Amino acid sequence: MRWRVLTALLIIGLILTGGIYCRSRIEQTCEQMDELLLQQKELPDPDVLNEALLLWEEQLPLLSTLLHHQRLDEVGQSLARSTGALQAGDFGQYMAQIDSILYMLSDIREYDHINLKTLF
């Protein structure tokens, strides 16, 4: 009987620890993206924008297991559109896409909380 209680407590602890770890990874990724994109607003650089795109693509497998795919796809599409706008020299569209990405990242941070339903 005692080992069942201990096992249940261990499982609950592992789930909570995993949820906190995953949430911190999401927060860390969003902060890194914010830093890179805020740099882009001040001084557009295609290399830094490509670095942000690579960071997003690297983190996408983890993020897609935890978050809504629609928001993740929108961020990826906006990154691609901002790259195209920068290469085309359309700085108005470029800044609009960067602002859109920053808004979506804050939305991900604020509303996509991990709960028991998403952990199981």
Side-chain angles (χ1 to χ4, degrees):
M1 176 85 160
R2 185 182 298 185
W3 65 271
R4 290 180 187 164
V5 172
L6 291 175
T7 303
L9 290 174
L10 179 66
I11 290 171
I12 290 170
L14 288 173
I15 289 171
L16 291 175
T17 304
I20 291 169
Y21 170 76
C22 291
R23 186 70 202 154
S24 69
R25 292 286 298 171
I26 291 169
E27 185 69 29
Q28 180 184 19
T29 300
C30 288
E31 285 179 11
Q32 289 175 339
M33 291 291 293
D34 274 348
E35 289 175 13
L36 290 172
L37 294 174
L38 287 174
Q39 288 176 2
Q40 289 301 326
K41 284 184 79 168
E42 296 171 6
L43 182 63
D45 183 9
D47 294 332
V48 176
L49 194 57
N50 286 333
E51 183 181 333
L53 186 59
L54 288 174
L55 172 67
W56 187 253
E57 289 175 356
E58 286 174 4
Q59 297 299 322
L60 203 54
L62 172 69
L63 296 175
S64 66
T65 60
L66 301 169
L67 302 172
H68 297 290
H69 290 258
Q70 180 181 2
R71 288 191 181 127
L72 299 176
D73 292 340
E74 288 173 1
V75 171
Q77 290 170 359
S78 291
L79 280 168
R81 282 192 295 262
S82 64
T83 302
L86 182 61
Q87 290 174 349
D90 186 1
F91 292 107
Q93 180 66 23
Y94 168 76
M95 293 303 281
Q97 291 300 321
I98 295 295
D99 288 336
S100 172
I101 295 166
L102 290 172
Y103 176 77
M104 285 185 273
L105 290 173
S106 69
D107 193 45
I108 286 171
R109 252 191 250 129
E110 189 172 330
Y111 294 109
D112 282 335
H113 294 290
I114 295 171
N115 53 33
L116 290 177
K117 183 179 178 182
T118 59
L119 290 176
F120 290 109

